[in-house]
Amino acid sequence: MAGSCRVAVLFSGGLDCSLLARLLHDVLPKDQEIDLLNVAFENPRVVHAAGGEDSQSPSIPRSPYALCPDRITGLSAHAELLNLCPTRTWRFVGIDIPYSEMLAHRTQIISLIYPHNTEMDLSIACALYFAARGTGAVIDACAGSTSSYTTPARVLLSGLGADELFGGYTRHATAANRKGLHGLAGELELDFMRLGKRNLGRDDRVISHWGTEVRYPYLDEDLVAWALSVPVWEKCGFGLAGSQEEGSLPSLEPSKKLLRLLAWKLGFRGAAAEKKRAIQFGARTAKMETGKTKGTQTLS
Amino acid sequence: MILVLKHSNIIQHPYTNIPARIGFAYCFSYERSRCGWLPVMCGIFFSWSLTASRPPSDDFVQCLSRRGPDSCRIIHRSLGVKGPERRTLCDQREKLAPSLDQVSTVLSLRGGHVVAQPLEDSNSGSLLSWNGEAWKIKDIIVQGNDAKLIFDHLLRAAQTSDDSNHTSKPSSRDTTLRNILNVFSWISGPYAFVFYDAQNDRVFYGRDILGRRSLLISKTPTTSLRISSVSAGKEVGDWIEVEADGIYMLDLTSSLNATRIPFEPHVGNSQQTNAVVHIPWANTGSLPQTLHSLVPDLHFHFRIHV
């Protein structure tokens, strides 16, 4: 069934990747398929916390994957894409990773991320590792069946960089509130400058392991140069006193406001309203054993 | 044929009513593979040693091959000690036998035609391991194999004599250094590389300014220096990331006097020869003074100050 798919998108259904997918549609030839890779993990701590069987319907199994936040937003954004761009084949690939499988690959992943070595590094890397492997399940809506699928795409697009350039983190809002626009600008600069050191080397090692190449459209030099030249208040709405919301304008949250408005303008209303969620929480790779683990903790 | 998308929207910002023009431009390299969207990836390993050759272990080669299963080349070079230093150095108890090993593994899904790396120039003996995608060089979109193009630029930049004009003054080592650094300042796109400049006895290595590709360096303080895309699992404890903050240069001639090769370049220590020099990316243009300034103007086509 693997047709003409050459590009896949690392797809949580959030604003950044949804925008990428929507714009990708404008770039690619019409007949090319686009695979949307969505990862969900079986997190034993979350499963356990959810309790035992439902007393009302004990025979219905609870799928830990279906309840992952990114799975929910991913499916919702996929549905929106199907409506917005009906001529395109959008293949949603649900990559479900049981806890046992994560454990089986854990040592390999730790070796790949080295010299990065914290719990947060590992939880982010786990999600990227299995996404890059690209093996999951595709639902055939017409036949009502699920089949195993591995994406033939060797190029993976990631929305990394959008938060740092357009103000997507809660700490950006905090900086704006406490220190004003100047503080916000400083915080954005700090985050942007740290990208290579904190994330990109590690992510390259993990993703390239599968012979997959990750590309970051938000980190295109021309786009970055432009984004860095734009005043902060034209990119996000933090730290700006009260708005005169007109009826015709959408009420969207201030983070990455410029991107939200663009998504809205392109008709992508659901994605435009999605709150930021880090990959390790959306896919539930974080805090698998105990809730007390801190992201900054060194791996044992 | 390269597809360039420029997606502009005029959007009224609700808070300030200032029209915010978005230029959403990015390049997708379509020609790169002729089939569209097929990457060429590379695993890099480099080792330079004063005393004994240190090629990568089998584990290492295996890890590198995950990134590049279609081709693996290991090039070994013995670097003879030249000139007047020979007598002094041979008197030393430890026999100096400087050599380098440069390894590249390549993944290429181009239907049979794999461009093996390291790229090698038969005239000079120079080598290039290039793990990257140069979307543009000097603002001109790249067609064809970017590694070969960059290698050509670097070889020309490293030329130590100017035959064409019959001038009496050949390019100095400093001039070639400046020329080589300029080549890297022209490139838009992700990369990690090792370039052995055989003409001038130097090795350059580094990552693009945003650090999109991995490159590690061994921090064992021995008489060798090792660089790699990945570490093999069993050798953990030995490697750190090469900072994505400029170009690094190992001067092979001055290194012969070094008792150890520091993995971190530093200045001012008279006890050791500084084998590795760090040339940082420089900012061009003046820092905007107004509240608009988000970060210093990090212009990606810039002059590197030597």
Side-chain angles (χ1 to χ4, degrees):
Chain A
M1 200 186 134
S4 63
C5 177
R6 308 241 186 262
V7 196
V9 181
L10 186 64
F11 195 73
S12 65
L15 171 65
D16 310 336
C17 59
S18 295
L19 205 46
L20 281 188
R22 172 65 188 81
L23 289 167
L24 189 56
H25 172 72
D26 290 348
V27 183
L28 285 188
K30 298 267 174 275
D31 60 329
Q32 276 205 18
E33 302 165 351
I34 300 176
D35 283 353
L36 307 171
L37 307 183
N38 180 278
V39 197
F41 283 73
E42 179 197 12
N43 185 315
R45 193 182 60 84
V46 172
V47 169
H48 179 75
E53 291 179 1
D54 191 314
S55 60
Q56 287 183 332
S57 46
S59 59
I60 299 175
R62 291 166 179 247
S63 163
Y65 311 109
L67 297 173
C68 272
D70 278 1
R71 179 56 51 84
I72 297 169
T73 33
L75 285 169
S76 158
H78 175 233
E80 243 187 321
L81 279 170
L82 289 171
N83 272 335
L84 281 174
C85 313
T87 55
R88 176 78 58 185
T89 301
W90 299 100
R91 186 178 292 109
F92 186 90
V93 185
I95 299 172
D96 297 339
I97 306 297
Y99 184 59
S100 56
E101 189 164 12
M102 194 284 291
L103 286 179
H105 289 259
R106 192 172 184 272
T107 308
Q108 169 70 271
I109 300 171
I110 288 175
S111 166
L112 284 170
I113 63 176
Y114 178 82
H116 286 72
N117 63 353
T118 67
E119 290 288 344
M120 186 174 353
D121 288 319
L122 179 59
S123 53
I124 294 170
C126 277
L128 295 175
Y129 179 84
F130 288 104
R133 190 178 69 169
T135 298
V138 173
I139 298 171
D140 185 339
C142 300
S145 63
T146 306
S147 54
S148 179
Y149 175 85
T150 299
T151 181
R154 300 266 53 84
V155 171
L156 182 65
L157 297 190
S158 159
L160 187 143
D163 293 312
E164 287 77 6
L165 287 172
F166 296 96
Y169 295 122
T170 315
R171 64 171 171 277
H172 297 146
T174 312
N177 290 334
R178 287 196 192 147
K179 296 179 271 180
L181 291 174
H182 215 61
L184 169 61
E187 197 69 28
L188 284 167
E189 173 181 352
L190 204 64
D191 281 334
F192 181 74
M193 300 297 280
R194 286 197 294 215
L195 269 174
K197 194 181 177 73
R198 277 209 163 170
N199 301 287
L200 300 176
R202 173 199 69 200
D203 295 350
D204 175 49
R205 291 193 289 282
V206 168
I207 293 170
S208 298
H209 179 78
W210 296 105
T212 298
E213 180 185 290
V214 64
R215 295 187 188 170
Y216 304 106
Y218 289 106
L219 296 184
D220 174 82
E221 277 91 338
D222 291 341
L223 180 61
V224 168
W226 171 81
L228 293 180
S229 70
V230 171
V232 291
W233 63 79
E234 288 192 14
K235 296 191 291 188
C236 56
F238 298 129
L240 296 177
S243 64
Q244 300 82 28
E245 297 281 357
E246 295 167 28
S248 59
L249 287 170
S251 170
L252 297 167
E253 65 168 81
S255 66
K256 298 183 283 193
K257 187 100 182 207
L258 196 56
L259 295 183
R260 293 185 190 282
L261 289 168
L262 176 57
W264 188 272
K265 196 161 175 84
L266 293 170
F268 218 142
R269 311 252 152 139
E274 277 303 330
K275 285 195 176 307
K276 167 70 188 176
R277 194 189 301 122
I279 192 173
Q280 68 267 34
F281 299 119
R284 288 196 170 149
T285 53
K287 301 183 196 270
M288 284 206 169
E289 286 81 32
T290 158
K292 294 194 184 121
T293 319
K294 284 195 168 191
T296 48
Q297 211 166 295
T298 306
L299 293 164
S300 47
Chain B
M1 180 186 65
I2 307 296
L3 287 174
V4 176
L5 172 73
K6 203 173 171 99
H7 197 114
S8 292
N9 279 297
I10 307 291
I11 288 183
Q12 287 290 122
H13 196 292
Y15 294 133
T16 63
N17 286 325
I18 295 170
R21 191 171 77 84
I22 305 170
F24 204 115
Y26 47 87
C27 300
F28 287 99
S29 175
Y30 206 76
E31 194 280 335
R32 183 119 292 137
S33 63
R34 258 157 236 146
C35 307
W37 300 98
L38 298 177
V40 175
M41 298 167 52
C42 172
I44 299 174
F45 177 91
F46 175 87
S47 163
W48 181 79
S49 173
L50 275 179
T51 51
S53 168
R54 289 192 72 183
S57 63
D58 289 341
D59 280 342
F60 234 112
V61 174
Q62 207 173 7
C63 287
L64 290 167
S65 293
R66 288 300 302 241
R67 296 172 71 100
D70 299 324
S71 160
C72 178
R73 275 182 89 200
I74 303 176
I75 295 183
H76 173 80
R77 292 278 174 76
S78 294
L79 308 170
V81 178
K82 299 174 194 151
E85 294 91 13
R86 177 177 278 277
R87 177 181 290 281
T88 324
L89 291 163
C90 287
D91 287 345
Q92 292 178 5
R93 215 168 295 169
E94 196 168 20
K95 183 166 186 275
L96 278 180
S99 64
L100 67 83
D101 295 273
Q102 190 155 341
V103 182
S104 277
T105 57
V106 178
L107 164 76
S108 175
L109 298 170
R110 291 189 184 188
H113 176 61
V114 178
V115 177
Q117 288 197 25
L119 296 174
E120 188 173 6
D121 176 50
S122 47
N123 287 333
S124 59
S126 293
L127 302 170
L128 175 66
S129 290
W130 172 261
N131 176 28
E133 301 266 19
W135 306 125
K136 292 194 283 190
I137 296 177
K138 282 206 251 187
D139 276 327
I140 298 164
I141 290 171
V142 171
Q143 310 268 2
N145 188 294
D146 58 335
K148 278 186 176 168
L149 196 54
I150 286 158
F151 196 37
D152 286 342
H153 280 297
L154 290 172
L155 291 172
R156 235 172 302 148
Q159 290 285 349
T160 49
S161 60
D162 189 2
D163 290 336
S164 55
N165 292 349
H166 305 292
T167 56
S168 54
K169 191 178 164 192
S171 293
S172 68
R173 239 169 149 253
D174 283 347
T175 309
T176 58
L177 174 61
R178 190 170 290 113
N179 293 342
I180 288 168
L181 296 172
N182 278 337
V183 172
F184 291 107
S185 76
W186 298 334
I187 301 168
S188 292
Y191 61 82
F193 75 94
V194 176
F195 171 53
Y196 167 50
D197 174 12
Q199 286 188 86
N200 299 292
D201 291 310
R202 296 180 295 218
V203 178
F204 296 88
Y205 61 94
R207 298 159 68 187
D208 75 86
I209 193 169
L210 296 175
R212 287 165 284 191
R213 294 292 163 97
S214 169
L215 201 61
L216 306 177
I217 187 163
S218 167
K219 63 183 174 77
T220 308
T222 64
T223 51
S224 73
L225 182 138
R226 290 180 301 156
I227 300 163
S228 178
S229 296
V230 293
S231 70
K234 289 179 185 144
E235 295 190 46
V236 295
D238 207 25
W239 298 81
I240 61 167
E241 288 202 327
V242 172
E243 295 287 340
D245 60 358
I247 302 291
Y248 290 84
M249 181 188 75
L250 174 67
D251 189 330
L252 300 179
T253 52
S254 68
S255 306
L256 290 174
N257 294 323
T259 52
R260 59 179 278 262
I261 311 302
F263 68 92
E264 253 182 73
H266 49 272
V267 294
N269 189 337
S270 56
Q271 304 288 74
Q272 297 165 207
T273 305
N274 301 316
V276 178
V277 175
H278 170 228
I279 303 120
W281 300 125
N283 298 337
T284 57
S286 56
L287 180 66
Q289 295 303 311
T290 67
L291 197 64
H292 291 79
S293 85
L294 182 59
V295 289
D297 182 18
L298 272 177
H299 189 67
F300 295 104
H301 302 292
F302 48 80
R303 290 179 300 281
I304 299 176
H305 303 299
V306 176

